[in-house]
Amino acid sequence: MSVSAPETFMIHAALKYLAYKQWYYLNLIHDESAVSENLLREMSKMVDFNKFCIDTQVKVTSDTNVTKLVQFFVKNDNSSKVMFVIADAPVLKRISDAIKKTDSTGKLLWIGLEKWTNFMSSPDGIKGSIGIHFFSYIPAGFAEHVQHLDNSSANPWLVPLFRTKYNCNDAICIRRFIKLNHGMPSALSSQTYLATYMVAQAIALHLSIYCPRFTAKNAEDCLLSNIDTFPKTIRNISLRGYDHYVRINERGFLEDSYLVYQKSNKDKDPLRPVTTISIEDDSLSTLGELDWATYQFRFEILNPTYFCMPQCAYNEYRYTISKCCWSCRQCQDNEKVSDISQVCEQCPVLYWPQEINGHSVCVFIPPNYYRWNNPVAALLIGLAMGGIVICIVIFLLYFNHRAHPVIRAASIELSCVQLASCILGYCAVPIFLMKPTDIACKIALFLFRFSCNILFLTMLIKAVRVYRIFKLSKKNKKITYAGSKFLLIICVGHLILEATELYITNMFYPLTVEITQPEMKVNYTELSCKFQKAHLLPFFIFDFFLLIMCSLFAFKTQTLPKNFRESRFVSMCIITTLILWIAFMPAYMTLISNNAKTLLLVCAVLINQTNLIIFIFITRLVAWKYHTAHRKSVFLTTIS
């Protein structure tokens, strides 16, 4: 237990004042004494110390060139200008001499504790410097009381202090010593008076509790008989001292107040109190403003946030310039700032940096996919529905005029299969453009593959049948495998093979939905069907084979009679289809975006189906209309 304040409280007061001024960027200068080392250890344990950044910590020894040290801090622009000093008088004198030698007065802000404050009041004190000291005062009548003390008085320890050591025998000398010896009210007299007063109050309280009827004769015996409980009594002491509130805390330490002084340029008042700091309630009150006239730097640079501790944005990291200084550098778009704010970290795939509560956090990117209300998707679905309507209209025309020679020559069964395959292809469009699911992806792929395969397969059957009709008819041979039953067997067989092939492929290469990020540096992800090469490559190879065979037989039938030149339109349809697929395949395989691939696939389906309708069915309807009109004209001419 101590009835005087520990030095750790003074350190706490100093840190509180530095934090109040926002001087978090410090240089720490100390000597090699045991007291300084102990103070530094206590300082490092304090919670408040974690707020500060010590740019440079220097231990001044007998070999240290203090002059070069001061020059370094003055000339280094990124170094802190706040110099916190914990040292004894000899080191403080060396620092003062170095400042005068380098003409550095006002270029650094020097701050210290009790010893530094005492040194400030001397002629060697640095102008403008700041010191933290005990709250000192002169109790009324204290000087007169000391004057009449002798060795037999109740306070014998004060006798040698003033009479022997300082040669003061009268009240005027004692008062002058107390007030002017260090340029401030003496901490020694203040602390001594306060400690004596606290003990006296504790003794009075203790006697009133345990010996309520004590007298001068039995007070000492009563106190000694209950001495074990005295520490408990003194811990309950809290009182107003001479002019401020003090108390003993639960740890048995005196919670006193502290004053912050600044070295003034005026000789009459060398130390000027500017702030009071109370340990008891951890409060701070300002007595006056600091005088900045001495200093040769801008006040703002004492707060490092103004020049070398910028507040970096959530997407910026700290690029270290010195131990406590940094600049802000922006991370790339797909990177977040690490927890230690010194490096950038790339977000995982499908994640993107976002500010949450001032911190950079990687969050999941909501995937994009085509919806039916999307303008592009709505347009393509509208075209597909229009294609289905056209197919139905053509089917009705074919069915109503199935007896006409032009329609009958095209084989109504073969035409119906082709129209059905076109409708299946158009039906795949809205399924491709809806929200991808495993089932939707499998249905869309099956409709796309099956419709295109049946389309090209029936074109090959038609081209082969035309070729066989005109080539074998010259040899008077019967044409086999050219009827409707054969066509039905081909279609059903291919349907079974197509379904079986897709099922087996899906066993080894499952067709599922996936979320992808086409570009790591773009805040964009896609929800799409995971079409693999195994799903599309066999289809492309088979369709190219069919198209090439169709081209071969169309070329062989180019010498048919004038009235049987349908092979020309078949050739034109096949050529445009080949051009389409030759352009489509490389584009599809090289695209990064799956949504773009889906859009390209849908366009290919629409163009492919519409190409067949134009060159195969529209041309035949035109021929049918022309043939009907021509027969009507011949009939009217014959009648006339």
Side-chain angles (χ1 to χ4, degrees):
M1 181 178 295
S2 174
V3 291
S4 62
E7 291 181 322
T8 53
F9 285 0
M10 186 179 292
I11 295 175
H12 174 74
L15 295 179
K16 184 173 181 64
Y17 182 74
L18 291 171
Y20 167 71
K21 288 296 185 179
Q22 296 183 336
W23 299 340
Y24 295 106
Y25 188 27
L26 309 175
N27 291 314
L28 192 56
I29 311 298
H30 63 94
D31 59 15
E32 52 187 348
S33 66
V35 176
S36 298
E37 295 289 346
N38 182 59
L39 286 175
L40 289 174
R41 281 194 298 270
E42 293 297 327
M43 180 186 292
S44 62
K45 295 177 184 178
M46 294 184 177
V47 176
D48 293 343
F49 190 67
N50 296 329
K51 302 176 183 177
F52 296 88
C53 183
I54 306 302
D55 180 32
T56 306
Q57 181 173 338
V58 180
K59 178 188 288 189
V60 179
T61 65
S62 57
D63 298 328
T64 304
N65 190 329
V66 181
T67 302
K68 288 185 177 180
L69 188 66
V70 171
Q71 289 177 334
F72 168 79
F73 289 120
V74 170
K75 294 179 180 180
N76 191 347
D77 294 334
N78 290 324
S79 176
S80 171
K81 303 304 177 185
V82 181
M83 316 297 292
F84 194 87
V85 183
I86 302 176
D88 289 331
V91 173
L92 303 182
K93 181 66 168 62
R94 291 171 62 190
I95 293 174
S96 175
D97 293 342
I99 294 173
K100 293 177 181 179
K101 183 178 181 180
T102 57
D103 192 23
S104 300
T105 302
K107 296 180 181 179
L108 298 172
L109 177 60
W110 297 87
I111 300 176
L113 302 179
E114 178 186 4
K115 294 178 181 179
W116 175 260
T117 311
N118 295 334
F119 181 77
M120 284 165 50
S121 63
S122 69
D124 293 324
I126 302 169
K127 293 182 179 180
S129 60
I130 296 172
I132 291 88
H133 208 283
F134 297 108
F135 193 105
S136 303
Y137 52 87
I138 305 176
F142 181 72
E144 289 75 11
H145 172 72
V146 173
Q147 177 188 2
H148 298 291
L149 290 179
D150 54 35
N151 293 333
S152 61
S153 65
N155 295 307
W157 57 84
L158 294 178
V159 174
L161 175 67
F162 291 102
R163 294 185 179 179
T164 305
K165 186 173 182 179
Y166 298 112
N167 196 26
C168 280
N169 297 310
D170 56 67
I172 297 175
C173 176
I174 295 172
R175 192 179 295 111
R176 186 184 299 112
F177 169 80
I178 292 173
K179 188 173 183 180
L180 300 177
N181 185 52
H182 293 302
M184 54 174 285
S186 171
L188 176 61
S189 62
S190 173
Q191 292 293 295
T192 304
Y193 175 81
L194 187 60
T196 305
Y197 189 57
M198 293 293 290
V199 172
Q201 290 288 334
I203 292 173
L205 178 62
H206 194 72
L207 290 175
S208 66
I209 295 174
Y210 295 97
C211 305
R213 296 181 181 180
F214 73 91
T215 62
K217 294 182 179 180
N218 64 3
E220 183 177 358
D221 295 335
C222 179
L223 180 63
L224 294 176
S225 63
N226 297 282
I227 196 65
D228 294 338
T229 58
F230 185 71
K232 181 179 179 181
T233 302
I234 202 170
R235 280 193 174 91
N236 294 325
I237 291 295
S238 60
L239 50 88
R240 178 164 292 278
Y242 180 73
D243 58 357
H244 67 290
Y245 186 83
V246 292
R247 76 181 181 95
I248 301 292
N249 64 16
E250 63 278 359
R251 296 172 55 195
F253 292 118
L254 177 70
E255 291 185 344
D256 199 359
S257 297
Y258 295 86
L259 277 175
V260 179
Y261 296 91
Q262 184 182 28
K263 173 75 171 180
S264 174
N265 292 324
K266 301 177 181 179
D267 295 333
K268 294 183 179 180
D269 189 16
L271 294 185
R272 186 171 60 93
V274 292
T275 305
T276 303
I277 303 170
S278 174
I279 297 298
E280 189 274 329
D281 58 1
D282 202 28
S283 63
L284 185 147
S285 59
T286 302
L287 303 178
E289 295 297 329
L290 291 173
D291 183 10
W292 295 105
T294 307
Y295 293 99
Q296 303 177 26
F297 53 76
R298 291 181 297 107
F299 166 73
E300 290 80 5
I301 71 169
L302 296 179
N303 184 350
T305 57
Y306 283 96
F307 73 98
C308 77
M309 286 185 179
Q311 185 66 35
C312 297
Y314 80 97
N315 61 339
E316 295 177 335
Y317 70 97
R318 295 178 179 179
Y319 178 77
T320 303
I321 299 175
S322 64
K323 184 178 179 180
C324 299
C325 280
W326 62 81
S327 62
C328 296
R329 296 193 177 184
Q330 189 170 2
C331 295
Q332 295 186 16
D333 293 339
N334 64 326
E335 294 178 337
K336 79 176 187 71
V337 182
S338 67
D339 295 335
I340 59 175
S341 301
Q342 292 183 352
V343 293
C344 294
E345 295 178 354
Q346 183 171 314
C347 285
V349 180
L350 309 182
Y351 286 80
W352 197 258
Q354 183 176 331
E355 181 182 8
I356 299 178
N357 297 328
H359 297 283
S360 183
V361 180
C362 292
V363 297
F364 181 74
I365 306 173
N368 293 272
Y369 54 87
Y370 284 109
R371 296 173 174 84
W372 288 356
N373 59 355
N374 182 280
V376 176
L379 175 62
L380 296 175
I381 292 173
L383 293 175
M385 295 301 104
I388 292 175
V389 172
I390 292 174
C391 288
I392 294 173
V393 170
I394 293 175
F395 171 76
L396 293 176
L397 289 174
Y398 267 51
F399 183 79
N400 291 334
H401 301 88
R402 59 185 179 277
H404 194 280
V406 175
I407 303 299
R408 192 170 48 181
S411 176
I412 186 65
E413 296 85 359
L414 191 64
S415 298
C416 288
V417 171
Q418 289 180 322
L419 287 173
S421 65
C422 286
I423 291 174
L424 290 177
Y426 285 129
C427 288
V429 171
I431 300 177
F432 273 123
L433 297 176
M434 66 186 294
K435 182 178 180 179
T437 61
D438 291 350
I439 297 177
C441 291
K442 292 172 183 177
I443 294 174
L445 180 64
F446 175 78
L447 292 178
F448 168 66
R449 288 183 46 162
F450 183 72
S451 63
C452 289
N453 287 345
I454 290 296
L455 202 62
F456 299 147
L457 193 60
T458 52
M459 289 177 62
L460 178 60
I461 291 173
K462 176 180 284 191
V464 171
R465 190 172 69 170
V466 171
Y467 173 77
R468 292 177 66 200
I469 288 174
F470 285 93
K471 292 298 179 182
L472 296 179
S473 61
K474 296 179 181 180
K475 302 178 182 179
N476 296 321
K477 292 183 179 180
K478 184 180 179 180
I479 302 174
T480 56
Y481 304 108
S484 302
K485 188 179 291 186
F486 174 73
L487 178 62
L488 181 62
I489 294 173
I490 290 293
C491 292
V492 173
H494 183 73
L495 174 64
I496 295 173
L497 289 174
E498 184 76 20
T500 304
E501 192 269 335
L502 277 177
Y503 178 78
I504 296 173
T505 303
N506 194 59
M507 289 176 61
F508 295 97
Y509 303 96
L511 179 55
T512 57
V513 175
E514 67 173 348
I515 300 177
T516 58
Q517 187 174 1
E519 295 186 32
M520 288 295 297
K521 295 185 179 181
V522 179
N523 183 13
Y524 177 79
T525 60
E526 299 174 336
L527 177 66
S528 59
C529 299
K530 188 180 181 180
F531 294 134
Q532 302 184 52
K533 292 181 179 180
H535 298 132
L536 296 174
L537 195 58
F539 158 73
F540 288 147
I541 294 174
F542 181 67
D543 277 9
F544 262 98
F545 170 75
L546 294 178
L547 289 171
I548 292 172
M549 293 302 296
C550 287
S551 302
L552 178 62
F553 281 98
F555 176 77
K556 288 186 175 182
T557 56
Q558 64 178 343
T559 59
L560 295 180
K562 184 178 180 180
N563 293 336
F564 300 93
R565 295 296 176 87
E566 186 183 9
S567 60
R568 290 186 177 180
F569 296 106
V570 173
S571 298
M572 292 176 65
C573 178
I574 292 172
I575 291 171
T576 54
T577 304
L578 276 172
I579 294 173
L580 169 68
W581 286 103
I582 289 172
F584 166 78
M585 283 185 62
Y588 184 86
M589 293 299 180
T590 55
L591 276 175
I592 300 176
S593 170
N594 286 343
N595 282 350
K597 288 184 177 182
T598 300
L599 191 65
L600 185 62
L601 199 64
V602 167
C603 293
V605 171
L606 289 174
I607 296 173
N608 187 69
Q609 314 301 81
T610 306
N611 182 51
L612 178 78
I613 291 174
I614 292 173
F615 285 106
I616 302 300
F617 291 99
I618 300 298
T619 54
R620 185 165 291 279
L621 288 176
V622 171
W624 163 73
K625 188 67 177 177
Y626 173 79
H627 185 269
T628 302
H630 179 71
R631 287 183 60 186
K632 185 176 181 180
S633 175
V634 171
F635 175 74
L636 292 175
T637 302
T638 303
I639 293 177
S640 62

